[in-house]
Amino acid sequence: MSRVLIIHTGGTIGMTRTERGYEPDGEYFRSAMFHMDSLKAPDIPQWDLTETEPLLDSSRMTVKEWNKIGRQIADNYDDYDGFVVLHGTDTMAYTASAMSFMFKGLNKPVILTGSQIPLCETRSDGRDNLITSLVIAGSGNVHEVCVYFGGLLLRGNRTTKYSADGMQAFVSPNYPVLATAGIEIQYNDAALAGETAEQFSFTPLDEVAIGVLKVFPGINFSLFRPMLSGVLRGVVLETFGSGNTPDDSGTLEAMAEEGRETVLVVCSQCTQGTVNMSAYEAGGALRRIGAVSGKDMTTEAAVAKLYYLFSVCRETEKIKEQIERSLAGELTE
Ligand code: ASP
């Protein structure tokens, strides 16, 4: 029988109602888990439960928490066949993206899941999300970091939170679904990552100063000067369509000249599709300032990739080159 380690990090799934709104409640969650009959069924892998301290609403997660979760998985890697990380939905796609870069040579599933309605409520979606994640984590079919939510298994670093209140909260707009949980769980073998011969390793991330800037009609780039002129080491620019930006009379170019060491990653405000900065003249300023293409990466993956690359590499040019390459299946080359 396979063994799965469940790591509870916080999020709606394990919250209870307080005067201040829903808050993580580890004691309630532990007791609910141990009393859930379906978790004792013979087709459920053997599981252990651990938690990170303190349990958090995922909107409060930082690089420190990513490192804590990563460390727990790395320390237990040889003792389990798979890992289920219970996590808030708000930043689940960021954590999943970060994990995909932190682990090299991953041959076991790391499934992030949570719920829109807490387990303590009658209509909670947490029960299915948890049980199906456990089954997938124990199945031996998956060798990568994924998000399981609302019947879909998605590649973690291709995932984005799409709905604030729907039960299918996540989509993977630029990569096929890895598995669909209907009566049977149907795995999409062509899309799933294969096994790797590489040795497993874990790289904690550094807390690097990076930023995200969404362009909008009328943007005055000079008001964002500190972001673009060297204070931040990396900035994800969410541009229009295929990588177009307003032309602010050369301000962008002047500031970029001051901040030559800042890595600018061009992503799109569109959920689906890819960046192609040479498609329009309006992408020209970005090309001239040496911005690199995030291609079809989600903003979440681009943010996590910047943290990762600045943690392992010092040379700006090398980082720029790696941004445009697929390191963990996060973009289409
Ligand atoms: N605010 C919650 C969190 O991200 C939302 C959720 O879990 O659905 O922790």
Side-chain angles (χ1 to χ4, degrees):
M1 168 162 276
S2 46
R3 295 187 72 205
V4 174
L5 179 63
I6 303 172
I7 303 172
H8 180 205
T9 70
T12 295
I13 191 164
M15 291 189 182
T16 51
R17 205 187 288 270
T18 74
E19 290 156 357
R20 296 175 296 273
Y22 284 121
E23 279 185 313
D25 183 341
E27 209 174 304
Y28 162 78
F29 188 73
R30 276 192 298 278
S31 136
M33 290 274 294
F34 288 107
H35 286 98
M36 219 190 283
D37 284 339
S38 33
L39 290 179
K40 299 174 187 143
D43 50 348
I44 293 289
Q46 211 186 314
W47 54 269
D48 292 316
L49 174 66
T50 180
E51 55 191 41
T52 49
E53 261 295 310
L55 294 172
L56 286 179
D57 185 299
S58 78
S59 52
R60 300 196 171 134
M61 291 254 178
T62 66
V63 172
K64 270 200 193 81
E65 281 73 35
W66 295 347
N67 288 340
K68 262 193 223 170
I69 305 167
R71 170 62 59 206
Q72 282 202 339
I73 294 174
D75 287 349
N76 288 284
Y77 189 74
D78 292 332
D79 299 328
Y80 291 90
D81 301 294
F83 301 86
V84 171
V85 179
L86 300 174
H87 195 286
T89 60
D90 288 344
T91 65
M92 191 184 290
Y94 287 93
T95 305
S97 299
M99 303 258 140
S100 77
F101 298 117
M102 290 166 131
F103 299 131
K104 290 278 167 274
L106 184 67
N107 261 324
K108 299 183 180 184
V110 174
I111 316 287
L112 284 91
T113 194
S115 69
Q116 292 281 50
I117 306 179
L119 207 58
C120 64
E121 305 283 352
T122 320
R123 287 188 55 249
S124 176
D125 50 333
R127 219 160 280 113
D128 170 68
N129 286 346
L130 170 59
I131 291 168
T132 307
S133 295
L134 264 174
V135 171
I136 293 172
S139 70
N141 292 328
V142 179
H143 315 95
E144 59 183 300
V145 179
C146 302
V147 165
Y148 174 79
F149 215 91
L152 302 178
L153 183 72
L154 308 171
R155 174 164 293 169
N157 57 29
R158 293 291 200 150
T159 303
T160 190
K161 184 172 177 184
Y162 151 85
S163 172
D165 49 19
M167 300 302 199
Q168 260 190 13
F170 292 89
V171 288
S172 163
N174 290 318
Y175 196 75
V177 169
L178 301 181
T180 311
I183 291 176
E184 301 283 334
I185 300 174
Q186 305 275 3
Y187 292 94
N188 181 353
D189 293 332
L192 280 159
E195 286 187 58
T196 160
E198 203 182 332
Q199 175 78 19
F200 174 77
S201 64
F202 160 66
T203 308
L205 304 186
D206 294 340
E207 293 173 78
V208 185
I210 62 167
V212 178
L213 178 59
K214 182 170 185 160
V215 304
F216 52 90
I219 186 169
N220 180 347
F221 280 114
S222 59
L223 297 177
F224 299 91
R225 178 169 235 109
M227 292 187 79
L228 299 166
S229 52
V231 174
L232 297 179
R233 294 180 67 194
V235 176
V236 178
L237 276 176
E238 279 198 5
T239 60
F240 304 127
S242 58
N244 306 312
T245 180
D247 185 358
D248 187 19
S249 337
T251 318
L252 196 54
E253 288 172 61
M255 287 188 319
E257 185 53 34
E258 285 172 44
R260 253 172 314 188
E261 287 303 304
T262 302
V263 175
L264 298 176
V265 184
V266 180
C267 285
S268 176
Q269 292 175 20
C270 299
T271 323
Q272 200 269 317
T274 189
V275 162
N276 172 6
M277 287 186 280
S278 9
Y280 292 91
E281 187 277 324
L286 293 173
R287 287 198 305 278
R288 286 193 294 280
I289 64 174
V292 283
S293 173
K295 302 192 175 174
D296 59 354
M297 260 194 299
T298 59
T299 297
E300 292 88 329
V303 164
K305 195 169 179 176
L306 278 174
Y307 277 123
Y308 170 72
L309 288 173
F310 281 114
S311 305
V312 294
C313 183
R314 306 221 165 271
E315 296 155 51
T316 307
E317 282 316 307
K318 183 109 192 284
I319 291 174
K320 285 185 172 183
E321 186 197 305
Q322 298 281 305
I323 287 289
E324 297 193 341
R325 297 248 171 94
S326 166
L327 304 182
E330 73 283 6
L331 58 76
T332 312
E333 286 200 36

PDB file of all heavy atoms in Angstrom, residues 105-108 140-145 155 175 178 188-198:
ATOM      1  N   GLY A 105      14.582  16.705 -10.200  1.00  0.00           N
ATOM      2  CA  GLY A 105      14.586  15.238 -10.113  1.00  0.00           C
ATOM      3  C   GLY A 105      13.398  14.706  -9.332  1.00  0.00           C
ATOM      4  O   GLY A 105      13.491  13.667  -8.675  1.00  0.00           O
ATOM      5  N   LEU A 106      12.265  15.420  -9.422  1.00  0.00           N
ATOM      6  CA  LEU A 106      11.066  14.985  -8.679  1.00  0.00           C
ATOM      7  C   LEU A 106      10.431  13.794  -9.400  1.00  0.00           C
ATOM      8  O   LEU A 106      10.069  13.899 -10.564  1.00  0.00           O
ATOM      9  CB  LEU A 106      10.076  16.157  -8.600  1.00  0.00           C
ATOM     10  CG  LEU A 106       8.812  15.930  -7.786  1.00  0.00           C
ATOM     11  CD1 LEU A 106       9.134  15.776  -6.299  1.00  0.00           C
ATOM     12  CD2 LEU A 106       7.833  17.102  -7.968  1.00  0.00           C
ATOM     13  N   ASN A 107      10.324  12.681  -8.673  1.00  0.00           N
ATOM     14  CA  ASN A 107       9.711  11.491  -9.283  1.00  0.00           C
ATOM     15  C   ASN A 107       8.437  11.087  -8.563  1.00  0.00           C
ATOM     16  O   ASN A 107       7.904  10.004  -8.801  1.00  0.00           O
ATOM     17  CB  ASN A 107      10.698  10.330  -9.251  1.00  0.00           C
ATOM     18  CG  ASN A 107      11.380  10.179 -10.602  1.00  0.00           C
ATOM     19  OD1 ASN A 107      10.762  10.393 -11.643  1.00  0.00           O
ATOM     20  ND2 ASN A 107      12.650   9.838 -10.595  1.00  0.00           N
ATOM     21  N   LYS A 108       7.986  11.948  -7.654  1.00  0.00           N
ATOM     22  CA  LYS A 108       6.794  11.624  -6.869  1.00  0.00           C
ATOM     23  C   LYS A 108       5.807  12.772  -6.999  1.00  0.00           C
ATOM     24  O   LYS A 108       6.202  13.905  -7.253  1.00  0.00           O
ATOM     25  CB  LYS A 108       7.187  11.415  -5.408  1.00  0.00           C
ATOM     26  CG  LYS A 108       8.165  10.254  -5.250  1.00  0.00           C
ATOM     27  CD  LYS A 108       8.524   9.982  -3.803  1.00  0.00           C
ATOM     28  CE  LYS A 108       9.497   8.814  -3.743  1.00  0.00           C
ATOM     29  NZ  LYS A 108       9.836   8.426  -2.386  1.00  0.00           N
ATOM     30  N   GLY A 140       0.833   6.472  -8.240  1.00  0.00           N
ATOM     31  CA  GLY A 140       2.066   6.169  -8.972  1.00  0.00           C
ATOM     32  C   GLY A 140       2.075   6.720 -10.393  1.00  0.00           C
ATOM     33  O   GLY A 140       3.022   6.491 -11.142  1.00  0.00           O
ATOM     34  N   ASN A 141       1.039   7.480 -10.789  1.00  0.00           N
ATOM     35  CA  ASN A 141       0.968   7.983 -12.173  1.00  0.00           C
ATOM     36  C   ASN A 141       1.596   9.365 -12.360  1.00  0.00           C
ATOM     37  O   ASN A 141       1.770   9.804 -13.493  1.00  0.00           O
ATOM     38  CB  ASN A 141      -0.508   8.118 -12.615  1.00  0.00           C
ATOM     39  CG  ASN A 141      -1.160   6.774 -12.755  1.00  0.00           C
ATOM     40  OD1 ASN A 141      -0.497   5.808 -13.115  1.00  0.00           O
ATOM     41  ND2 ASN A 141      -2.447   6.691 -12.452  1.00  0.00           N
ATOM     42  N   VAL A 142       1.854  10.068 -11.277  1.00  0.00           N
ATOM     43  CA  VAL A 142       2.226  11.484 -11.393  1.00  0.00           C
ATOM     44  C   VAL A 142       3.627  11.707 -10.807  1.00  0.00           C
ATOM     45  O   VAL A 142       3.953  11.178  -9.737  1.00  0.00           O
ATOM     46  CB  VAL A 142       1.170  12.363 -10.656  1.00  0.00           C
ATOM     47  CG1 VAL A 142       1.522  13.836 -10.733  1.00  0.00           C
ATOM     48  CG2 VAL A 142      -0.218  12.122 -11.238  1.00  0.00           C
ATOM     49  N   HIS A 143       4.437  12.498 -11.525  1.00  0.00           N
ATOM     50  CA  HIS A 143       5.822  12.748 -11.077  1.00  0.00           C
ATOM     51  C   HIS A 143       6.109  14.231 -11.139  1.00  0.00           C
ATOM     52  O   HIS A 143       7.159  14.654 -11.625  1.00  0.00           O
ATOM     53  CB  HIS A 143       6.806  11.995 -11.974  1.00  0.00           C
ATOM     54  CG  HIS A 143       6.401  10.594 -12.243  1.00  0.00           C
ATOM     55  ND1 HIS A 143       5.707  10.195 -13.349  1.00  0.00           N
ATOM     56  CD2 HIS A 143       6.571   9.483 -11.494  1.00  0.00           C
ATOM     57  CE1 HIS A 143       5.464   8.904 -13.296  1.00  0.00           C
ATOM     58  NE2 HIS A 143       5.980   8.449 -12.174  1.00  0.00           N
ATOM     59  N   GLU A 144       5.178  15.034 -10.702  1.00  0.00           N
ATOM     60  CA  GLU A 144       5.385  16.488 -10.802  1.00  0.00           C
ATOM     61  C   GLU A 144       4.503  17.217  -9.778  1.00  0.00           C
ATOM     62  O   GLU A 144       3.702  16.591  -9.077  1.00  0.00           O
ATOM     63  CB  GLU A 144       5.080  16.971 -12.215  1.00  0.00           C
ATOM     64  CG  GLU A 144       3.665  16.684 -12.696  1.00  0.00           C
ATOM     65  CD  GLU A 144       3.450  17.138 -14.149  1.00  0.00           C
ATOM     66  OE1 GLU A 144       3.615  18.349 -14.402  1.00  0.00           O
ATOM     67  OE2 GLU A 144       3.109  16.309 -14.999  1.00  0.00           O
ATOM     68  N   VAL A 145       4.655  18.539  -9.739  1.00  0.00           N
ATOM     69  CA  VAL A 145       3.856  19.358  -8.818  1.00  0.00           C
ATOM     70  C   VAL A 145       2.560  19.748  -9.526  1.00  0.00           C
ATOM     71  O   VAL A 145       2.581  20.305 -10.623  1.00  0.00           O
ATOM     72  CB  VAL A 145       4.625  20.638  -8.403  1.00  0.00           C
ATOM     73  CG1 VAL A 145       3.775  21.481  -7.461  1.00  0.00           C
ATOM     74  CG2 VAL A 145       5.960  20.293  -7.766  1.00  0.00           C
ATOM     75  N   ARG A 155      -1.233  20.985 -14.159  1.00  0.00           N
ATOM     76  CA  ARG A 155       0.192  21.220 -13.864  1.00  0.00           C
ATOM     77  C   ARG A 155       0.302  22.481 -13.015  1.00  0.00           C
ATOM     78  O   ARG A 155      -0.212  23.553 -13.391  1.00  0.00           O
ATOM     79  CB  ARG A 155       0.984  21.375 -15.167  1.00  0.00           C
ATOM     80  CG  ARG A 155       2.423  21.762 -14.894  1.00  0.00           C
ATOM     81  CD  ARG A 155       3.319  21.558 -16.080  1.00  0.00           C
ATOM     82  NE  ARG A 155       3.462  20.139 -16.380  1.00  0.00           N
ATOM     83  CZ  ARG A 155       4.008  19.651 -17.483  1.00  0.00           C
ATOM     84  NH1 ARG A 155       4.466  20.479 -18.388  1.00  0.00           N
ATOM     85  NH2 ARG A 155       4.105  18.351 -17.670  1.00  0.00           N
ATOM     86  N   TYR A 175      -2.018  24.859 -21.079  1.00  0.00           N
ATOM     87  CA  TYR A 175      -1.490  23.491 -21.026  1.00  0.00           C
ATOM     88  C   TYR A 175      -2.658  22.551 -20.730  1.00  0.00           C
ATOM     89  O   TYR A 175      -3.523  22.884 -19.923  1.00  0.00           O
ATOM     90  CB  TYR A 175      -0.407  23.366 -19.935  1.00  0.00           C
ATOM     91  CG  TYR A 175       0.419  22.110 -20.118  1.00  0.00           C
ATOM     92  CD1 TYR A 175       1.382  22.040 -21.121  1.00  0.00           C
ATOM     93  CD2 TYR A 175       0.194  20.987 -19.326  1.00  0.00           C
ATOM     94  CE1 TYR A 175       2.118  20.881 -21.322  1.00  0.00           C
ATOM     95  CE2 TYR A 175       0.924  19.821 -19.523  1.00  0.00           C
ATOM     96  CZ  TYR A 175       1.882  19.781 -20.527  1.00  0.00           C
ATOM     97  OH  TYR A 175       2.595  18.631 -20.733  1.00  0.00           O
ATOM     98  N   LEU A 178      -4.219  17.474 -16.803  1.00  0.00           N
ATOM     99  CA  LEU A 178      -3.404  16.253 -16.617  1.00  0.00           C
ATOM    100  C   LEU A 178      -4.264  15.037 -16.280  1.00  0.00           C
ATOM    101  O   LEU A 178      -3.881  13.905 -16.555  1.00  0.00           O
ATOM    102  CB  LEU A 178      -2.376  16.460 -15.504  1.00  0.00           C
ATOM    103  CG  LEU A 178      -1.374  17.598 -15.700  1.00  0.00           C
ATOM    104  CD1 LEU A 178      -0.405  17.663 -14.520  1.00  0.00           C
ATOM    105  CD2 LEU A 178      -0.595  17.411 -16.997  1.00  0.00           C
ATOM    106  N   ASN A 188      -4.104  11.862 -18.432  1.00  0.00           N
ATOM    107  CA  ASN A 188      -3.693  12.276 -19.779  1.00  0.00           C
ATOM    108  C   ASN A 188      -2.186  12.022 -19.891  1.00  0.00           C
ATOM    109  O   ASN A 188      -1.362  12.909 -19.640  1.00  0.00           O
ATOM    110  CB  ASN A 188      -4.035  13.765 -19.949  1.00  0.00           C
ATOM    111  CG  ASN A 188      -3.667  14.287 -21.312  1.00  0.00           C
ATOM    112  OD1 ASN A 188      -3.038  13.596 -22.105  1.00  0.00           O
ATOM    113  ND2 ASN A 188      -4.037  15.526 -21.584  1.00  0.00           N
ATOM    114  N   ASP A 189      -1.840  10.796 -20.266  1.00  0.00           N
ATOM    115  CA  ASP A 189      -0.429  10.389 -20.254  1.00  0.00           C
ATOM    116  C   ASP A 189       0.443  11.276 -21.144  1.00  0.00           C
ATOM    117  O   ASP A 189       1.617  11.503 -20.845  1.00  0.00           O
ATOM    118  CB  ASP A 189      -0.290   8.926 -20.695  1.00  0.00           C
ATOM    119  CG  ASP A 189      -0.917   7.997 -19.668  1.00  0.00           C
ATOM    120  OD1 ASP A 189      -0.941   8.386 -18.474  1.00  0.00           O
ATOM    121  OD2 ASP A 189      -1.408   6.920 -20.043  1.00  0.00           O
ATOM    122  N   ALA A 190      -0.144  11.771 -22.242  1.00  0.00           N
ATOM    123  CA  ALA A 190       0.646  12.585 -23.172  1.00  0.00           C
ATOM    124  C   ALA A 190       1.049  13.923 -22.530  1.00  0.00           C
ATOM    125  O   ALA A 190       2.061  14.521 -22.910  1.00  0.00           O
ATOM    126  CB  ALA A 190      -0.157  12.845 -24.432  1.00  0.00           C
ATOM    127  N   ALA A 191       0.261  14.388 -21.579  1.00  0.00           N
ATOM    128  CA  ALA A 191       0.549  15.699 -20.982  1.00  0.00           C
ATOM    129  C   ALA A 191       1.334  15.586 -19.671  1.00  0.00           C
ATOM    130  O   ALA A 191       2.010  16.532 -19.260  1.00  0.00           O
ATOM    131  CB  ALA A 191      -0.762  16.439 -20.725  1.00  0.00           C
ATOM    132  N   LEU A 192       1.247  14.435 -19.026  1.00  0.00           N
ATOM    133  CA  LEU A 192       1.922  14.276 -17.730  1.00  0.00           C
ATOM    134  C   LEU A 192       3.444  14.192 -17.912  1.00  0.00           C
ATOM    135  O   LEU A 192       3.920  13.624 -18.890  1.00  0.00           O
ATOM    136  CB  LEU A 192       1.452  12.980 -17.063  1.00  0.00           C
ATOM    137  CG  LEU A 192       0.103  13.040 -16.356  1.00  0.00           C
ATOM    138  CD1 LEU A 192      -0.476  11.634 -16.198  1.00  0.00           C
ATOM    139  CD2 LEU A 192       0.237  13.718 -14.990  1.00  0.00           C
ATOM    140  N   ALA A 193       4.184  14.746 -16.963  1.00  0.00           N
ATOM    141  CA  ALA A 193       5.654  14.645 -17.014  1.00  0.00           C
ATOM    142  C   ALA A 193       6.044  13.194 -16.769  1.00  0.00           C
ATOM    143  O   ALA A 193       5.445  12.518 -15.924  1.00  0.00           O
ATOM    144  CB  ALA A 193       6.270  15.543 -15.950  1.00  0.00           C
ATOM    145  N   GLY A 194       7.052  12.752 -17.483  1.00  0.00           N
ATOM    146  CA  GLY A 194       7.521  11.371 -17.297  1.00  0.00           C
ATOM    147  C   GLY A 194       8.452  11.268 -16.098  1.00  0.00           C
ATOM    148  O   GLY A 194       8.757  12.266 -15.447  1.00  0.00           O
ATOM    149  N   GLU A 195       8.908  10.050 -15.837  1.00  0.00           N
ATOM    150  CA  GLU A 195       9.871   9.869 -14.735  1.00  0.00           C
ATOM    151  C   GLU A 195      11.205  10.459 -15.151  1.00  0.00           C
ATOM    152  O   GLU A 195      11.502  10.560 -16.330  1.00  0.00           O
ATOM    153  CB  GLU A 195      10.038   8.385 -14.430  1.00  0.00           C
ATOM    154  CG  GLU A 195       8.832   7.834 -13.699  1.00  0.00           C
ATOM    155  CD  GLU A 195       9.064   6.410 -13.235  1.00  0.00           C
ATOM    156  OE1 GLU A 195      10.031   6.191 -12.477  1.00  0.00           O
ATOM    157  OE2 GLU A 195       8.290   5.539 -13.651  1.00  0.00           O
ATOM    158  N   THR A 196      12.002  10.834 -14.168  1.00  0.00           N
ATOM    159  CA  THR A 196      13.311  11.405 -14.481  1.00  0.00           C
ATOM    160  C   THR A 196      14.416  10.599 -13.791  1.00  0.00           C
ATOM    161  O   THR A 196      14.196  10.042 -12.719  1.00  0.00           O
ATOM    162  CB  THR A 196      13.387  12.895 -14.056  1.00  0.00           C
ATOM    163  OG1 THR A 196      14.746  13.263 -13.944  1.00  0.00           O
ATOM    164  CG2 THR A 196      12.704  13.163 -12.745  1.00  0.00           C
ATOM    165  N   ALA A 197      15.589  10.574 -14.425  1.00  0.00           N
ATOM    166  CA  ALA A 197      16.717   9.832 -13.856  1.00  0.00           C
ATOM    167  C   ALA A 197      17.548  10.756 -12.964  1.00  0.00           C
ATOM    168  O   ALA A 197      18.476  10.325 -12.285  1.00  0.00           O
ATOM    169  CB  ALA A 197      17.581   9.290 -14.985  1.00  0.00           C
ATOM    170  N   GLU A 198      17.192  12.057 -12.999  1.00  0.00           N
ATOM    171  CA  GLU A 198      17.961  13.043 -12.227  1.00  0.00           C
ATOM    172  C   GLU A 198      17.791  12.794 -10.724  1.00  0.00           C
ATOM    173  O   GLU A 198      16.720  12.394 -10.269  1.00  0.00           O
ATOM    174  CB  GLU A 198      17.408  14.435 -12.587  1.00  0.00           C
ATOM    175  CG  GLU A 198      18.357  15.566 -12.360  1.00  0.00           C
ATOM    176  CD  GLU A 198      17.685  16.916 -12.703  1.00  0.00           C
ATOM    177  OE1 GLU A 198      16.775  16.935 -13.567  1.00  0.00           O
ATOM    178  OE2 GLU A 198      18.053  17.904 -12.096  1.00  0.00           O
TER     179      GLU A 198
END
